[in-house]
Amino acid sequence: AAKERLKKILREMIKSQEQMKAVIKDLTKELREKSVSLLDICQKIEKIAPEDPIAKHGLQMMDFDKLLEKHQQDSEIRNAIAKIMGAPNPQNVASEKIQAISVKEVIDYHKFMLQELEHLIDEYENLPAGREGLDPKTVTIAAQVIVGARFESEFQVSSEDVESAVLMYHANLATDQTFAQVNVKIQHAMSRLMGTKMTPS
């Protein structure tokens, strides 16, 4: 019964993730056409985001991890996890648009994302009262939307294209010092964005 329940949660997570991707795509498109504040985007996401399947089933993340560990040998469960982890589709790499992206451009794109994230953190930390109630997960999604929209407007390339290009140049990027440093800074910026809720300014 526990295994069936886990499979049900994983199916719901995949569905919820697909809905969320559609929400992000729509909001990114909307943001490319007009400027919207971080707070407004967070409020929009909270209204339309699907409910978290783990919470819906009354589980804590720890319980869910234990369930996963117990049933990780099941191939159906392993496939569902791979789908949720969202590995880029290798077939996308073959497209001409992605083949045209160079290693240098991939690094430049990440530098741009970092710069935009840092602007966003400044905006978030200067938000009026009301930001304490924001869920860090919502703030992270809002950041993805805003940075994605600015990025697409600047380069006419989508973040999915960049993910595919990273996959294509995996071997080159794995040993690139600059790329590693920018990525670490992006991770720090994201954790700062998720953690700022706990440090009132």
Side-chain angles (χ1 to χ4, degrees):
K3 191 194 274 193
E4 286 316 308
R5 185 184 183 201
L6 177 60
K7 286 181 182 176
K8 187 172 190 285
I9 295 173
L10 288 168
R11 281 195 299 271
E12 286 175 18
M13 283 173 82
I14 291 168
K15 191 179 169 201
S16 158
Q17 208 172 38
E18 280 163 3
Q19 288 172 326
M20 207 58 230
K21 270 184 190 162
V23 165
I24 289 172
K25 213 169 187 169
D26 290 347
L27 285 174
T28 305
K29 188 169 178 266
E30 186 184 324
L31 262 186
R32 283 185 66 176
E33 285 153 20
K34 60 172 195 239
S35 183
V36 183
S37 77
L38 176 63
L39 201 54
D40 287 344
I41 286 284
C42 286
Q43 284 163 349
K44 275 188 175 194
I45 290 166
E46 283 183 342
K47 271 189 202 138
I48 53 183
E51 192 184 348
D52 175 10
I54 297 172
K56 194 175 102 182
H57 283 266
L59 290 175
Q60 296 290 335
M61 199 65 204
M62 236 168 63
D63 309 322
F64 179 69
D65 284 342
K66 278 182 193 160
L67 265 178
L68 276 183
E69 218 171 295
K70 195 174 167 190
H71 301 292
Q72 62 183 343
Q73 298 312 318
D74 187 291
S75 63
E76 197 182 321
I77 287 170
R78 277 213 305 269
N79 291 342
I81 294 164
K83 206 167 180 181
I84 290 163
M85 298 311 279
N89 184 348
Q91 283 157 356
N92 293 349
V93 173
S95 84
E96 274 178 41
K97 190 176 181 187
I98 289 154
Q99 295 283 338
I101 299 172
S102 70
V103 173
K104 185 186 178 301
E105 282 172 327
V106 170
I107 296 169
D108 287 345
Y109 294 159
H110 281 78
K111 283 181 181 170
F112 178 85
M113 288 178 196
L114 174 63
Q115 190 185 309
E116 291 302 320
L117 258 179
E118 285 170 345
H119 291 325
L120 212 52
I121 289 170
D122 289 342
E123 185 187 335
Y124 181 61
E125 289 178 343
N126 290 314
L127 275 181
R131 81 156 199 246
E132 282 76 17
L134 291 173
D135 176 13
K137 238 180 350 189
T138 305
V139 177
T140 311
I141 295 164
Q144 209 178 323
V145 169
I146 295 168
V147 172
R150 289 175 187 168
F151 176 81
E152 286 179 25
S153 298
E154 180 80 13
F155 299 107
Q156 312 306 313
V157 173
S158 75
S159 29
E160 282 99 343
D161 294 339
V162 178
E163 276 174 33
S164 297
V166 168
L167 184 72
M168 177 170 74
Y169 290 123
H170 178 72
N172 308 59
L173 294 167
T175 55
D176 192 294
Q177 226 32 57
T178 314
F179 184 70
Q181 285 165 352
V182 173
N183 254 327
V184 167
K185 285 180 181 169
I186 288 175
Q187 282 164 7
H188 278 305
M190 288 309 279
S191 59
R192 206 173 135 204
L193 205 51
M194 287 187 81
T196 32
K197 184 183 174 198
M198 276 66 85
T199 54
S201 49

